[in-house]
Amino acid sequence: MGKTIAEKIFASHVVDKPSGDIHVIRLDGVFCHEITTPSAIVDLIERGKDRVFEPEKIKAVIDHVTPAKDSKTALQGKILREWSRRHKIRNFFDVGRNGVCHALFPEKGFVRPGYTIIMGDSHTCTYGAFGAFAAGVGTTDLEVGILKGVCAFKYPSTMRINITGVLPAGVFAKDVILSVIGRIGVNGATNQVIEFGGPVVEAMSMEARMTLCNMAIEAGATCGICEPDSTTVAYLWEFIADQYASESAALDAFSVHKPDADARYSSVLNHDVSSLVPMATYGYKPDEVKPVSEMDGTPVDQVYIGSCTNGRIEDLREAAKVLKGQNISDTVRAIVSPATPKVYATALEEGLIKIFTDAGCCVTNPTCGACLGMSNGVLAEGEVCASTTNRNFNGRMGKGGNVHLMSPATAAATAIAGHITAVRG
Amino acid sequence: MKTFNGRVLFLDRPDINTDEIIPAKYLTEISREALKPFLLEDLKLDGFDPATDIEKNNVIITRSNFGCGSSREHAPWALEANGINLVIAESFARIFRQNMFNCGMMALELPGDTIGRLFSQYSAEPAFAEADPDTGTITLSNNTQTEQIPFSISTFDRELITAGGWLNYADTKY
Ligand code: SF4
C-alpha cells in the first residue's frame, strides 16, 4: 500500500510505538518563541533538567511582543535570550534581527522537505509548504522536544485536497484557504494532515503555499503539506547548493517526499477555484466565510496587513498595488507589519514602504503584535478590524473587538474605502 | 496521579477555543497559578458567568471541538489552577487534548448522542462526575439518579496519567 507524504516522513523518523497508533518520532527541528518557551525553560530548570538535545536543531526568536512593551514581556524575552546563550543556540533572533517566526524560519532555510518540526505555536503547520511534517504543540511537548528531540503523535491519516481549475486574477491563496475552511469547517480535518495538491498549488509560489498551509490548523489539521517540487528547490537553493550537484539533482532527491500514486487517503476533495471570488470571514470562527461582495459596506475601524499568514513580500506587493497613489479613508487607521527584516528591507527597496506611508498607513517593525491582541494595534471594545491574519476568534485582537479575515489586496481596498470592499476592476 | 471528580460545569456550545479559555493577554504570566482568575473570562454563553460558575465546579462537560485554536498549554494550566482536571466532550482539538494528557489530566470523548443526553438529563441541577482511568468508567450522579458510562482510553494515555505527564514518561524512556 502506498504512502502519503506524512506517512513517509513518519516511517523514516519513528523511534518508538508505545501503544496503538501512537508514534514517537525523531525531530529535525524544535523552534521556539518568547511566549510559550519561557514557561518550558523555567519548568526544565525547576526539574533540574536545564539541557537541550542538540543546539543546532533549536531555533529561537522573540517575535510576539517586540520590542518588549512592559516588564513582563521583557522578562519573557530575557529568559529566552539567556537560555539561548547558555546553550549555545546560534540561531537566536533578537530585536532588530527578529521577525514573525513562521515567516523568518523558512526564509533562513531552516525548513526542508521531509523534516519533522515542532514548535509551541499552532501555526507551525505553515512549514508543511516545504513538504515537511510540522506541528504546533504545547509546552510539555516542547519541553520533551528540547530535552530529548522526540515527540509523540497519533499516526496521521491524510486528507488530500486538490485545488483545481484556474485561479482568477485578483484572487489569492488566502481566498483559496478561506474557501476550503468554509467548506470543511473548523473541525473538518481534526487529527488529520491535509495534503494540498493539484494544478493551482503546483503553480503557487512558496509564499502562497505557506499562506495555504498556515491556516490548515483553522480546519483542525495537524499540518498542511504540499509536495516539494522545482519551486521548493528554487526557494531553498541558496541554502542547499553545496549539498547537490544541481537543482535537478536536488529535485530528484526531494522526490522521495512525494506521495505514492497509490497512497491511501481518508478522503479526497477536489476544490475547483475557477469561479472563486475574494472571500472574508464574518463571524467569530474561521469557517464563517462569504464573498467579500456580500459584506460590502461593513464599516471597519482598523486595517491590519501582516502576520505569518500574509506579511511576506508578495503580500505587501499586492497591498501596495492597490494603495499606490491613494489615501486611506479618514475613518480608518491602517497598520502594515512586514513579517521579517528581509521583507521590510525589500519593501523599502521596492518603494512599497513609501507607498504605505504616503497613503497614511503606519508601518511597524516585524512582529506578531496586533495579530493576537498583545501589542502594536490592539482593538478597543466594539471595534472592527479588517485583517490579513488567520484568527477571528472573539477578542483575538483585543477584548470585545471583531476581526474579518481577508487577503492583503482586499484589506488594502478596505483601507481606502473605510469599509469592507473588494478591489475594483 | 491527579483526581478526576467534582461538580460539573456544563458548557453548551461547540468549538470553544483557547482564546476563550484563557485570553492571549495573560500569556505573559510565567507562573501557572497566576492564570487562575482569568479562566473562561472571554466566553460569552447564556447562563454562564465565570465569576460565580468556576469556583464550585471541578469537571467540565461540553460539546464538540473543545480547545480549538492556539497551542497554548496555558489552557489546561488555567483549568488545573481552578481544580479542573477532567473535561468530557464530544471531541477535542488535537493539541488541547494532547496538552491535557501531557499534564497528567484527562480529556475524555463520549459520543455526541450521549453528550446530548447528559445535557438534557443533568445540566438543570447540580451534578457530580468522577472518571476512573483504571476501570474506564465515568460515574455521573445528581440527587435523583446515578449512572456509569464507559469510556475508552489508550494504554499510552493511561500511562501518561500514571506517570504524571509526558515529561516524566519521556525522561525515563527516551
Ligand atoms: S502572526 Fe499571529 S498567528 Fe502568526 S505566529 Fe504571530 S501571533 Fe501567531
Side-chain angles (χ1 to χ4, degrees):
Chain A
M1 179 52 71
K3 287 188 161 68
T4 67
I5 302 177
E7 288 173 336
K8 288 187 172 186
I9 297 175
F10 267 61
S12 60
H13 286 76
V14 65
V15 293
D16 190 20
K17 295 182 192 170
S19 86
D21 59 350
I22 305 293
H23 282 48
V24 175
I25 58 169
R26 175 174 54 78
L27 299 170
D28 298 309
V30 177
F31 295 178
C32 300
H33 65 53
E34 90 284 14
I35 296 295
T36 50
T37 315
S39 36
I41 296 169
V42 168
D43 191 55
L44 286 170
I45 293 172
E46 279 173 8
R47 290 168 185 262
K49 298 182 195 303
D50 182 23
R51 301 187 296 271
V52 303
F53 80 113
E54 260 185 69
E56 271 307 299
K57 291 188 176 164
I58 298 181
K59 318 288 176 188
V61 65
I62 297 176
D63 64 350
H64 276 55
V65 186
T66 178
K69 66 173 172 142
D70 54 21
S71 38
K72 278 187 178 170
T73 53
L75 176 62
Q76 288 183 305
K78 183 171 188 268
I79 293 172
L80 190 69
R81 182 181 300 115
E82 291 180 350
W83 172 76
S84 299
R85 286 191 188 138
R86 191 160 70 239
H87 294 293
K88 309 210 163 27
I89 294 165
R90 232 175 10 111
N91 295 120
F92 165 64
F93 300 90
D94 209 334
V95 64
R97 297 197 160 78
N98 58 0
V100 176
C101 50
H102 308 310
L104 184 76
F105 293 146
E107 187 189 276
K108 297 283 178 190
F110 298 156
V111 183
R112 309 282 172 83
Y115 270 22
T116 53
I117 296 168
I118 61 165
M119 180 168 189
D121 192 286
S122 60
H123 293 101
T124 304
C125 56
T126 311
Y127 309 134
F130 291 80
F133 174 82
V137 297
T139 304
T140 303
D141 275 338
L142 185 66
E143 283 181 49
V144 172
I146 288 169
L147 200 57
K148 302 279 173 181
V150 298
C151 193
F153 289 96
K154 260 193 184 150
Y155 192 66
S157 63
T158 304
M159 170 191 268
R160 171 85 184 188
I161 302 186
N162 293 312
I163 312 290
T164 60
V166 181
L167 197 61
V171 182
F172 303 93
K174 182 63 163 285
D175 303 302
V176 173
I177 189 63
L178 285 174
S179 70
V180 167
I181 298 164
R183 180 167 168 189
I184 67 175
V186 289
N187 204 3
T190 301
N191 279 320
Q192 300 186 62
V193 167
I194 302 179
E195 195 176 282
F196 291 105
V200 175
V201 179
E202 283 161 25
M204 277 181 180
S205 66
M206 286 314 296
E207 309 207 326
R209 291 178 196 179
M210 283 190 254
T211 302
L212 198 65
C213 292
N214 176 269
M215 290 190 74
I217 181 74
E218 302 328 319
T222 305
C223 183
I225 293 191
C226 300
E227 298 180 25
D229 61 7
S230 54
T231 308
T232 322
V233 173
Y235 184 98
L236 288 174
W237 187 243
E238 62 175 302
F239 306 104
I240 60 173
D242 56 344
Q243 294 168 35
Y244 301 97
S246 63
E247 291 199 27
S248 72
L251 187 60
D252 280 349
F254 288 172
S255 66
V256 303
H257 305 298
K258 284 188 177 293
D260 291 328
D262 59 345
R264 201 169 57 180
Y265 296 100
S266 56
S267 60
V268 178
L269 205 72
N270 290 316
H271 192 71
D272 191 324
V273 295
S274 296
S275 53
L276 188 66
V277 293
M279 305 297 281
T281 60
Y282 57 88
Y284 292 111
K285 293 197 300 165
D287 60 358
E288 295 175 328
V289 172
K290 57 186 177 185
V292 172
S293 57
E294 290 177 26
M295 304 172 66
D296 205 311
T298 309
V300 304
D301 302 288
Q302 176 168 300
V303 172
Y304 184 73
I305 298 172
S307 86
C308 58
T309 322
N310 283 124
R312 299 182 182 82
I313 191 66
E314 286 182 5
D315 302 313
L316 300 196
R317 284 183 192 134
E318 291 303 334
K321 253 187 226 166
V322 178
L323 284 162
K324 189 169 188 183
Q326 305 280 330
N327 283 311
I328 66 165
S329 162
D330 291 341
T331 61
V332 297
R333 51 194 194 264
I335 299 168
V336 181
S337 193
T340 69
K342 186 177 171 192
V343 172
Y344 198 121
T346 312
L348 201 58
E349 262 169 46
E350 294 181 5
L352 312 184
I353 301 291
K354 182 158 171 30
I355 293 173
F356 296 136
T357 51
D358 284 352
C361 303
C362 163
V363 180
T364 78
N365 64 301
T367 175
C368 298
C371 170
L372 80 167
M374 286 191 83
S375 64
N376 277 25
V378 181
L379 300 178
E381 192 116 23
E383 284 191 326
V384 178
C385 184
S387 178
T388 68
T389 54
N390 47 36
R391 277 202 178 129
N392 56 344
F393 295 163
N394 189 8
R396 171 74 178 179
M397 295 182 75
K399 194 178 172 78
N402 183 2
V403 180
H404 297 282
L405 306 176
M406 57 187 69
S407 75
T410 306
T414 297
I416 296 164
H419 54 75
I420 293 181
T421 194
V423 178
R424 283 194 205 99
Chain B
M1 196 162 80
K2 298 192 193 312
T3 53
F4 305 101
N5 57 43
R7 198 174 129 155
V8 181
L9 170 62
F10 285 89
L11 297 175
D12 193 4
R13 213 200 73 198
D15 306 318
I16 291 175
N17 63 60
T18 50
D19 277 79
E20 289 168 316
I21 299 170
I22 185 79
K25 62 174 183 254
Y26 303 120
L27 303 187
T28 56
E29 300 295 347
I30 293 182
S31 111
R32 302 175 183 198
E33 207 42 38
L35 302 171
K36 189 174 177 189
F38 312 119
L39 178 68
L40 294 167
E41 183 184 272
D42 275 355
L43 180 68
K44 303 256 180 313
L45 201 58
D46 279 347
F48 170 70
D49 179 0
T52 56
D53 291 344
I54 288 172
E55 208 184 330
K56 54 182 187 249
N57 295 302
N58 294 94
V59 175
I60 289 175
I61 296 185
T62 183
R63 303 282 182 175
S64 61
N65 201 28
F66 185 78
C68 60
S70 124
S71 63
R72 64 190 67 154
E73 202 159 301
H74 304 69
W77 296 341
L79 292 169
E80 190 184 10
N82 284 282
I84 301 171
N85 293 326
L86 171 63
V87 183
I88 301 167
E90 185 180 336
S91 62
F92 294 94
R94 177 192 66 87
I95 304 175
F96 177 82
R97 188 189 167 285
Q98 192 63 51
N99 286 345
M100 288 285 284
F101 284 100
N102 281 351
C103 293
M105 300 160 76
M106 279 208 277
L108 299 180
E109 290 174 339
L110 294 178
D113 48 358
T114 308
I115 293 284
R117 187 177 62 73
L118 299 186
F119 268 93
S120 55
Q121 259 174 268
Y122 290 93
S123 65
E125 45 183 310
F128 295 85
E130 169 152 24
D132 183 343
D134 294 324
T135 60
T137 44
I138 296 165
T139 308
L140 201 66
S141 61
N142 63 16
N143 268 340
T144 54
Q145 53 189 331
T146 295
E147 67 174 301
Q148 299 214 311
I149 304 162
F151 66 87
S152 66
I153 179 170
S154 71
T155 317
F156 180 62
D157 286 340
R158 192 178 298 117
E159 284 173 359
L160 290 181
I161 298 168
T162 321
W166 169 232
L167 190 73
N168 291 341
Y169 179 100
D171 202 33
T172 50
K173 203 159 170 202
Y174 304 109

